[in-house]
Amino acid sequence: MSNKIYIVAAFVIASVFQMNAQTDSLKTDTPIQDEFTSLIKESNNYQGYKVVDYDKLIELRNTTRSYITELKEEIVVQKNTVDQQNDEIQQLKADLDSTQQDLQRVTEEKDALMFLGMPFSKGGYKAMMWGIVGALVVILLIIFFRYKSSHAATKDAQQKLDETEKE
């Protein structure tokens, strides 16, 4: 039984909120619309025409002018705000570009090594060093085999000289 009461209470509350939402949507957004509505309600009918009080019509005109002036001022303020934000965006973009260029330069400097007064990338430096090591190993092998062959030739010549001296 108590669950039914809660359900009914929730339904009633939802209905009240729905009615308030509908009446809120009927409210006007501008004071001009309110004045037009009240002017039409307060005007008299005469032979199928609406008769409007002149003073109220002048008041409506003045209200309309002041509202339009307020809107123009708001437009100017909004435009100035947009212009200011666009300037700030441009400044931030310029700062971002500068920062990215600085970052790229620092990254290149970090990845570069100086060798014999010339900048090399780390990969280029490693390749050059291994190339030098490889060249030195090849030269060492050539010298070793030449020495070995020269030593063998010298030993052979020494043996022949010893044989020739013995004879």
Side-chain angles (χ1 to χ4, degrees), residues 39 43-44 50-54 56-57:
L39 186 66
S43 63
N44 298 325
K50 284 282 193 180
V51 178
V52 179
D53 185 18
Y54 181 75
K56 292 207 181 246
L57 190 59

Side-chain angles (χ1 to χ4, degrees), residues 3-62:
N3 286 340
K4 289 182 182 180
I5 293 174
Y6 288 129
I7 293 172
V8 171
F11 180 73
V12 169
I13 291 172
S15 300
V16 168
F17 283 129
Q18 181 66 26
M19 284 186 226
N20 285 341
Q22 288 176 354
T23 56
D24 287 345
S25 66
L26 295 176
K27 289 183 182 178
T28 58
D29 294 339
T30 64
I32 296 174
Q33 289 175 337
D34 292 338
E35 271 195 54
F36 267 117
T37 304
S38 68
L39 186 66
I40 291 171
K41 284 182 182 177
E42 293 174 1
S43 63
N44 298 325
N45 287 331
Y46 177 72
Q47 294 181 356
Y49 297 102
K50 284 282 193 180
V51 178
V52 179
D53 185 18
Y54 181 75
D55 292 334
K56 292 207 181 246
L57 190 59
I58 296 299
E59 183 181 330
L60 176 63
R61 181 186 70 181
N62 292 337

Side-chain angles (χ1 to χ4, degrees), residues 1 28 79 91 111 114-116 143-144 146 150 152 156:
M1 181 72 176
T28 58
K79 185 180 181 309
Q91 180 64 34
D111 290 340
M114 295 297 285
F115 181 72
L116 300 175
I143 290 173
F144 175 73
R146 285 199 168 238
S150 296
D156 190 38

Side-chain angles (χ1 to χ4, degrees), residues 92-119:
L92 289 173
K93 283 182 180 179
D95 290 346
L96 177 63
D97 289 341
S98 173
T99 303
Q100 285 177 341
Q101 289 172 355
D102 289 345
L103 177 63
Q104 183 178 3
R105 181 182 49 79
V106 167
T107 303
E108 288 172 0
E109 287 177 4
K110 184 185 84 156
D111 290 340
L113 297 172
M114 295 297 285
F115 181 72
L116 300 175
M118 296 182 298

